[in-house]
Amino acid sequence: MSISRHYVLAAGGTGGHLIPAFALGQELLHRGHHVALITDERGAKIPGAPEKMATHILPAGRITKSPASWLPGVKAIAEGRLMARRLYDSFEPSAVIGFGGYPAFPALLGAFAENVPTIIHEQNAVLGRVNRFTARQVNAIATAYPDILRLSPRYQDKVHLVGNPVREEVLALRDQPYPPMSADGIFRVLVTGGSQGATILSEVVPDGLARLPLNLRRRLQVTQQCRAEDIETVRQAYAAHEIPAELATYLPDLPDRMGWSHLVIARAGASTIAELTCAGRPAILVPLPSATDNHQSYNVKEMVQAGGARAIAQTQFTPVELAKQIQKIALEPGALENAAKAAKSCGRPQAVSDLADLVESFGKAPIMHTIKPKHDTASAFAPSPALAKDTAL
């Protein structure tokens, strides 16, 4: 018999932090638990949150190298910590799970103060700043890669390799075969720069595809996600090269697109790589050089070493180099299929289930009643009507 508990997930306002949080939230809801999310205003706008997961917005102080950020940053963190403690007093979480990003910091500090068990999940191959700050005090550290930079060896006894949770629609692709590709069949290429798009892909990919040999170029069918400010320029470039391309600023059916693609050209965000390896799709990856601690350059290593992807540094990402790398993988018989198998070998499809098992292994006594009425938290810590999808937890 399953026992219902309350859990709080805390994640920063980017898709990279929130997508795995949403996946875990959905899994915990499926298991009969109650789940709340702590994030910031940006995070509250990211689509994909489970309908029955209440969303709470906390101040997320950001302390940078500039002294001007120190005082307001500390004040915001202290305010967020107090608000989190008030929520925990009424919600009585069995555990708080942090997924990185600044909004997770005050949520975890509040959990430490209330002696609530804590777990952090690191999506990237480099331990993020908030996770580094809290690693010593948390009960468990869940990782997406076997080797994590900036993770102190003294914490190894509480590290659990689970992988990076992905959407159910992506998990379903794992049971589908790699799309067949004959010598003269359509060659489907998917180009995506993540939730925000990537201008460098818009600038390089059309011209790179145009440099492919004629017999390969004529077989192309491209789907590309672009920034709004880039899309018309990209459309004109493909038209000039006579390459059929479908362009959009957002691809709500991205898992379906990935399912029929033969090759993906993308950034190297943790969620992107997790989806590629779960689905088993070969890729050419261009790490974002400005990513914190250059973590995208480390994210690609496992997939590249297995043979499932090729990585091109942005400084070397030119139309000529892109065309050269595509030819190496697309013109050699069986190379794409072998790369797809190699990518799939890196996938961890049980990530969300394993993470949920880990979460359930920590925690206070089962919750046997609903929210206590002893505090009026509605005025101190209430989600807006538009964001609180299920306030009667």
Side-chain angles (χ1 to χ4, degrees), residues 200-221:
I200 188 66
L201 299 183
S202 296
E203 294 173 345
V204 172
V205 173
D207 291 342
L209 296 179
R211 291 175 178 268
L212 294 174
L214 183 61
N215 66 328
L216 183 58
R217 188 170 75 244
R218 285 178 172 172
R219 297 162 49 201
L220 284 169
Q221 182 176 321

Side-chain angles (χ1 to χ4, degrees), residues 42-358:
R42 280 195 311 159
K45 297 175 183 177
I46 300 290
E51 291 184 2
K52 292 186 178 181
M53 183 170 67
T55 300
H56 300 273
I57 297 176
L58 254 69
R62 186 167 185 170
I63 300 175
T64 67
K65 294 180 180 180
S66 171
S69 72
W70 297 351
L71 181 59
V74 169
K75 289 178 65 176
I77 291 170
E79 182 182 355
R81 174 179 175 274
L82 177 61
M83 293 171 70
R85 295 185 68 179
R86 289 173 179 168
L87 174 65
Y88 302 157
D89 191 51
S90 63
F91 191 66
E92 291 188 323
S94 289
V96 174
I97 303 93
F99 286 84
Y102 288 99
F105 192 41
L108 289 167
L109 292 179
F112 298 152
E114 295 294 321
N115 200 30
V116 176
T118 51
I119 299 165
I120 54 175
H121 179 270
E122 179 54 60
Q123 302 89 53
N124 295 298
V126 181
L127 198 67
R129 292 176 182 175
V130 168
N131 285 347
R132 289 204 299 271
F133 292 150
T134 57
R136 181 178 65 85
Q137 289 182 267
V138 299
N139 296 88
I141 302 170
T143 65
Y145 296 92
D147 300 313
I148 305 295
L149 294 180
R150 299 207 173 188
L151 175 59
S152 173
R154 65 180 181 271
Y155 304 140
Q156 284 299 324
D157 60 341
K158 57 182 176 181
V159 171
H160 303 262
L161 174 62
V162 299
N164 214 356
V166 299
R167 295 170 284 181
E168 292 179 354
E169 302 93 323
V170 176
L171 283 177
L173 297 177
R174 194 166 181 85
D175 297 326
Q176 299 179 17
Y178 181 74
M181 182 176 167
S182 61
D184 57 353
I186 294 175
F187 178 30
R188 298 184 180 94
V189 177
L190 172 65
V191 186
T192 175
S195 59
Q196 301 298 317
T199 294
I200 188 66
L201 299 183
S202 296
E203 294 173 345
V204 172
V205 173
D207 291 342
L209 296 179
R211 291 175 178 268
L212 294 174
L214 183 61
N215 66 328
L216 183 58
R217 188 170 75 244
R218 285 178 172 172
R219 297 162 49 201
L220 284 169
Q221 182 176 321
V222 180
T223 298
Q224 182 162 345
Q225 176 211 7
C226 309
R227 291 177 182 264
E229 60 268 29
D230 299 332
I231 194 165
E232 285 306 318
T233 301
V234 177
R235 196 184 310 279
Q236 293 172 16
Y238 278 120
H241 297 315
E242 298 182 340
I243 296 174
E246 182 180 354
L247 310 180
T249 56
Y250 175 64
L251 297 171
D253 57 346
L254 183 62
D256 288 338
R257 308 276 184 168
M258 186 178 294
W260 54 246
S261 64
H262 296 104
L263 178 68
V264 179
I265 303 172
R267 283 297 196 191
S271 292
T272 296
I273 292 180
E275 293 185 349
L276 289 169
T277 55
C278 272
R281 292 298 177 269
I284 292 176
L285 301 171
V286 186
L288 176 67
S290 61
T292 304
D293 299 319
N294 195 28
H295 64 252
Q296 289 199 6
S297 294
Y298 296 98
N299 288 351
V300 304
K301 287 191 172 181
E302 183 183 30
M303 194 175 176
V304 169
Q305 289 174 355
R310 294 170 181 266
I312 306 176
Q314 184 162 310
T315 54
Q316 300 172 341
F317 187 59
T318 64
V320 171
E321 181 62 23
L322 176 61
K324 182 172 70 174
Q325 295 299 331
I326 292 176
Q327 288 180 70
K328 287 181 178 180
I329 197 171
L331 295 180
E332 180 181 339
L336 279 168
E337 290 82 355
N338 290 336
K341 292 177 183 177
K344 201 170 189 177
S345 72
C346 298
R348 296 181 175 87
Q350 300 300 318
V352 68
S353 177
D354 289 345
L355 182 56
D357 288 346
L358 176 64

Side-chain angles (χ1 to χ4, degrees), residues 3 28 67 113 150 373:
I3 299 174
L28 292 174
R150 299 207 173 188

